[in-house]
Amino acid sequence: TVMGLALTGVALLRWFEVATLSNIGAWTGTKFFSQNTYGWLFSTFSPFLLGLFFQVRGVRRWGWGLALLALWSVAAVNGSRGSWVGMLAGLMAFLLLLGVAYPRMLGRSLSLFLLIGVFLALLLAAPEQVVGAVSQRFATLQRLDEDKSYAIRQLMIQKGLRLFAQSPLIGVGVYRWTKESVPLDLPRVLSYAPQSHFDVKSSHNSYLAFLAENGLAGSVPFALLLGILAVRGAWAGVQLARRGRLWGLAVYAGFIGMSVHLWALAGLTNTGTWMMYGLVGAAIVTAENLLIREKKGHAPGVLLSRPRA
């Protein structure tokens, strides 16, 4: 609930910027957080609002529904394409595992789809400035070969792979990404600047930057960690959901959305990233402890109301 309220506050903060600064769309200058930071927060924590929407009933549920509408609409206005993909991945992960845990939850799923329909209707009925900015940003997904931002990210993938090839075992060193240079093949859309201009740019890809800087010595253990969290976290989310605790699904779906977004963002050193890894670990330990208690004949001690079809 605290995380849901905090994310709602962030969404309202971005709406405040829109109302006072008219910074609608991408690259329009945000004040409190950068566009990418807003997008990362939306990708990572939006499933907490989903969990609350499905967990509670009555007026409170539609209160969280309004929070979801505020979040989705401001995420569209913010223009971070990574957050669009990350939020969609988190939504799909949440609904998929919820269907596994509660096959009869179709009623509330229909409520969510109704909420999505309202969001789309509001987006279409928005002022022309809003509709135009969102449509223009969405249209860039259909011509990525002409998009400088996408081309830079592709160039950074090329750099990461070539740095890794130079030192595959131990990498080039932590925090050496912007200090290292390898010959790169610049695409035509980036011909406006020499390679030295791009050498000092962020990797825009958490995983390839980690691979290049730490090599196999660091990347193999990290990949094992992510694999354990991905597999065991899904199991834990389902087990907790069956016992009326949807926070496990919210945490796992947030982990999925964040992990997808980190492919286009350098954010592995953020505290929030490792907090999410820790929360997935906490869900796994909690689910294991609940099963142990049940095997010993103890009641699971449901702390939240059990969702009903």
Side-chain angles (χ1 to χ4, degrees):
T1 302
V2 171
M3 298 299 291
L5 290 172
L7 182 62
T8 303
V10 172
L12 293 177
L13 194 65
R14 184 65 178 90
W15 270 124
F16 175 76
E17 290 194 17
V18 171
T20 57
L21 303 176
S22 298
N23 50 3
I24 300 171
W27 317 117
T28 53
T30 54
K31 181 176 180 60
F32 297 104
F33 298 109
S34 68
Q35 175 191 339
N36 285 337
T37 299
Y38 274 119
W40 182 87
L41 290 170
F42 297 156
S43 294
T44 305
F45 299 109
S46 57
F48 285 83
L49 293 180
L50 284 172
L52 289 164
F53 178 79
F54 279 92
Q55 182 75 72
V56 301
R57 300 181 180 87
V59 177
R60 288 188 301 162
R61 180 152 71 99
W62 290 109
W64 291 117
L66 290 175
L68 274 171
L69 284 177
L71 173 67
W72 290 339
S73 53
V74 83
V77 169
N78 187 55
S80 169
R81 296 173 299 190
S83 73
W84 295 354
V85 177
M87 291 173 68
L88 180 61
L91 174 63
M92 293 175 64
F94 185 93
L95 292 178
L96 176 62
L97 293 183
L98 183 63
V100 172
Y102 278 98
R104 296 186 300 167
M105 284 290 286
L106 180 61
R108 292 195 181 185
S109 295
L110 289 176
S111 298
L112 179 66
F113 293 135
L114 174 62
L115 201 64
I116 294 174
V118 172
F119 157 69
L120 294 175
L122 289 174
L123 193 60
L124 292 175
E128 180 60 32
Q129 183 181 4
V130 174
V131 176
V134 176
S135 299
Q136 183 178 9
R137 189 61 171 165
F138 185 80
T140 61
L141 295 173
Q142 300 176 343
R143 53 176 190 273
L144 291 176
D145 56 328
E146 303 175 4
D147 187 87
K148 292 181 181 179
S149 177
Y150 177 78
I152 290 175
R153 283 169 166 79
Q154 292 298 105
L155 186 67
M156 294 302 102
I157 291 175
Q158 183 186 146
K159 179 179 179 179
L161 293 175
R162 293 187 179 183
L163 285 176
F164 171 69
Q166 280 189 351
S167 181
L169 184 58
I170 61 173
V172 297
V174 179
Y175 292 118
R176 294 291 305 172
W177 178 273
T178 57
K179 298 177 176 62
E180 297 290 335
S181 178
V182 288
L184 300 175
D185 302 322
L186 267 66
R188 178 186 55 80
V189 71
L190 299 181
S191 59
Y192 61 87
Q195 180 179 319
S196 58
H197 173 78
F198 301 102
D199 281 337
V200 296
K201 284 189 173 294
S202 164
S203 64
H204 294 292
N205 189 309
S206 297
Y207 306 113
L208 283 180
F210 193 88
L211 180 66
E213 291 183 347
N214 299 276
L216 294 176
S219 299
V220 170
F222 179 62
L224 289 174
L225 169 66
L226 293 186
I228 291 171
L229 294 179
V231 176
R232 298 286 291 169
W235 168 85
V238 170
Q239 296 301 322
L240 291 172
R242 288 174 176 170
R243 289 157 179 81
R245 304 184 182 192
L246 294 186
W247 67 267
L249 283 187
V251 165
Y252 183 76
F255 162 74
I256 293 297
M258 178 190 74
S259 298
V260 170
H261 197 159
L262 286 178
W263 181 259
L265 192 72
L268 273 186
T269 56
N270 291 346
T271 303
T273 302
W274 289 88
M275 184 192 75
M276 287 300 296
Y277 293 158
L279 286 175
V280 177
I284 295 171
V285 173
T286 303
E288 290 175 344
N289 288 341
L290 283 176
L291 289 178
I292 291 173
R293 284 174 53 85
E294 291 175 1
K295 288 180 180 179
K296 291 181 178 180
H298 298 291
V302 176
L303 299 180
L304 301 174
S305 59
R306 181 183 295 276
R308 296 175 182 173

